[in-house]
Amino acid sequence: MGTAKRVSRASSRRQGVSALTLLCAMAILTAPGLAVGSAYAAPGAPSAPTAPVDPAPPAAAAPGAKSLEQVHKEIEDLYRQAGSATDAYNLAESETKAQSERIVEIAKLVVAGQDRIAGLKDRAGAAARAQYRSGGLPPGAALALSDSPSAFLDGAGRLRQGEKATTDLLSELNRTQTDLERYAKDAGAIWQKMEENRVKKEAAKKEIEDKIKAAEALENRLAAEEKARLLQLEQEAQYRAQTAWLSTGAMKDVKGSATDAGKRAVQFATAQMGKPYVWGAVGPDSFDCSGLTSKAWLAAGRGIPRTSQEQLRLLPKVAVKDMRPGDLIIYFDDASHVGMYVGDGAMVHAPRPGRNVTMAGVGSMPIKAVVRPDA
């Protein structure tokens, strides 16, 4: 009995130390003065995530019913499709914003062109009135009637200059009118694109809502124990993927240190942990995946594209071995998800609806590319 008590006390102490270690690690990760790249794990090779505890065997499903594993896959597929549609929505929104700004620029050009035409018409009218006052006599008649031939010749020279100026003025007037016609045509094309983007946004929004509702309906039909098991299935899948990724030696040469801006971006992103994923959200109370990364880098003083696909397209790519804290990791072939590398094989991200901003292994999902906002 005494031996059993000592074993029990030792086990309790070990659990207490483990819990304290975890709490300290989380406190370090979210501390304002985080020293990125040095406090995520013990020195040496990056640590793999702790293996999940083996769950109790699930109850047998009724004949014809879907297994929890099947439900898990179906929910994950729905959320992945919602993620793709979310990025399509965000992309259409950003394009619409750019097109709206271009419409404003064109409107300013049109106003300036109209003012220019009004000024040119005034000058043309003044030239016509001056010519009328001169009598409009033919050059030969004017020479015959002139008291001073030299004065006449001087006047004729000025007249030729005036005629050239009038010709130039009319040419400029025609060019300005042509510009206005082009502006109108450009504006019409942009309005058409804006309408197409509006249709795309509405279609993407409906797809997002339908996929999320379908996934939530599946999840809401589960009992509390099944929901807990579902979360565990997600964690197990992430653990297996991360372990397999680490076993390839992918982190062996990753030793990059964060820049000052990278540290600020990581500090912002990790400070959002626990806040819910909401599609299209950019804070402060909720985020989607690219909303989190774009806001984090904005807080670090660097504006980057809003969507994960645009982040992939426009930001410089770096090799995984050159990765440093603050870099963005783009996931899946369609670039529909993004997380931020924080060091030691971990990244912070907003996973999906129904989940909160959290940390996960860099290799817990298929990596498409790594991009650097502060190249």
Side-chain angles (χ1 to χ4, degrees):
M1 180 65 70
T3 301
K5 287 181 179 180
R6 286 195 298 274
V7 169
S8 175
R9 284 197 298 270
S11 175
S12 297
R13 284 197 300 274
R14 284 194 299 273
Q15 291 172 355
V17 170
S18 298
L20 180 60
T21 301
L22 177 59
L23 288 172
C24 289
M26 293 307 296
I28 290 170
L29 284 173
T30 56
L34 173 65
V36 180
S38 62
Y40 293 112
S47 56
T50 304
V53 178
D54 289 337
K66 294 179 181 177
S67 69
L68 194 57
E69 286 76 8
Q70 289 172 317
V71 173
H72 167 248
K73 184 179 185 309
E74 191 170 343
I75 289 173
E76 289 298 306
D77 287 346
L78 285 167
Y79 280 130
R80 280 274 298 107
Q81 293 166 28
S84 297
T86 295
D87 215 75
Y89 177 92
N90 289 337
L91 183 58
E93 188 175 54
S94 64
E95 287 177 349
T96 298
K97 181 181 177 183
Q99 289 155 358
S100 297
E101 291 170 352
R102 178 58 181 155
I103 285 288
V104 171
E105 291 174 4
I106 288 176
K108 291 177 180 177
L109 290 171
V110 167
V111 170
Q114 290 171 337
D115 290 344
R116 181 69 175 156
I117 284 177
L120 291 169
K121 285 182 176 179
D122 286 344
R123 286 170 54 193
R129 288 191 295 272
Q131 186 175 10
Y132 174 77
R133 286 193 298 270
S134 71
L137 292 174
L143 177 60
L145 294 173
S146 174
D147 295 332
S148 172
S150 62
F152 167 77
L153 293 174
D154 288 343
R158 287 195 296 272
L159 181 61
R160 283 194 297 273
Q161 291 174 356
E163 289 174 345
K164 182 179 185 305
T166 301
T167 301
D168 292 344
L169 186 150
L170 292 174
S171 297
E172 187 175 354
L173 182 63
N174 288 333
R175 284 196 303 272
T176 305
Q177 288 175 329
T178 301
D179 288 343
L180 287 177
E181 291 171 1
R182 188 179 74 251
Y183 296 154
K185 185 177 180 181
D186 290 347
I190 292 173
W191 278 116
Q192 179 63 33
K193 288 179 181 177
M194 287 178 69
E195 176 60 17
E196 291 171 359
N197 275 331
R198 186 192 66 78
V199 172
K200 287 179 186 176
K201 281 174 61 180
E202 290 301 319
K205 182 179 179 182
K206 185 177 186 310
E207 182 179 358
I208 293 161
E209 291 172 343
D210 289 347
K211 300 297 183 185
I212 290 176
K213 284 178 183 176
E216 288 175 343
L218 280 173
E219 200 160 356
N220 289 338
R221 286 200 291 267
L222 300 175
E225 299 83 8
E226 292 174 314
K227 288 180 180 178
R229 170 63 179 153
L230 183 67
L231 177 58
Q232 192 167 17
L233 285 173
E234 292 177 17
Q235 293 169 342
E236 288 172 352
Q238 292 171 8
Y239 171 77
R240 287 193 298 270
Q242 174 74 350
T243 301
W245 183 72
L246 289 173
S247 69
T248 65
M251 287 295 299
K252 182 180 65 173
D253 298 321
V254 179
K255 300 181 178 68
S257 299
T259 60
D260 289 341
K263 291 177 184 178
R264 292 194 297 272
V266 170
Q267 287 166 2
F268 179 94
T270 54
Q272 312 313 309
M273 289 172 63
K275 293 182 179 181
Y277 177 109
V278 174
W279 77 266
V282 292
D285 300 320
S286 56
F287 297 87
D288 66 12
C289 63
S290 56
L292 176 66
T293 54
S294 59
K295 273 295 183 180
W297 270 102
L298 188 60
R302 172 86 164 94
I304 65 172
R306 166 66 179 86
T307 71
S308 56
Q309 290 174 338
E310 287 296 276
Q311 289 168 3
L312 172 65
R313 187 173 73 86
L314 297 175
L315 297 179
K317 297 177 180 62
V318 297
V320 170
K321 67 181 180 62
D322 298 322
M323 191 165 55
R324 68 190 186 198
D327 287 346
L328 305 184
I329 306 163
I330 309 296
Y331 291 100
F332 303 109
D333 287 340
D334 59 0
S336 58
H337 191 69
V338 60
M340 179 181 290
Y341 182 57
V342 297
D344 291 331
M347 60 92 173
V348 62
H349 70 144
R352 66 165 176 81
R355 297 289 182 258
N356 298 331
V357 177
T358 188
M359 272 194 197
V362 167
S364 58
M365 292 173 285
I367 298 172
K368 182 175 181 65
V370 178
V371 297
R372 178 160 293 165
D374 62 337

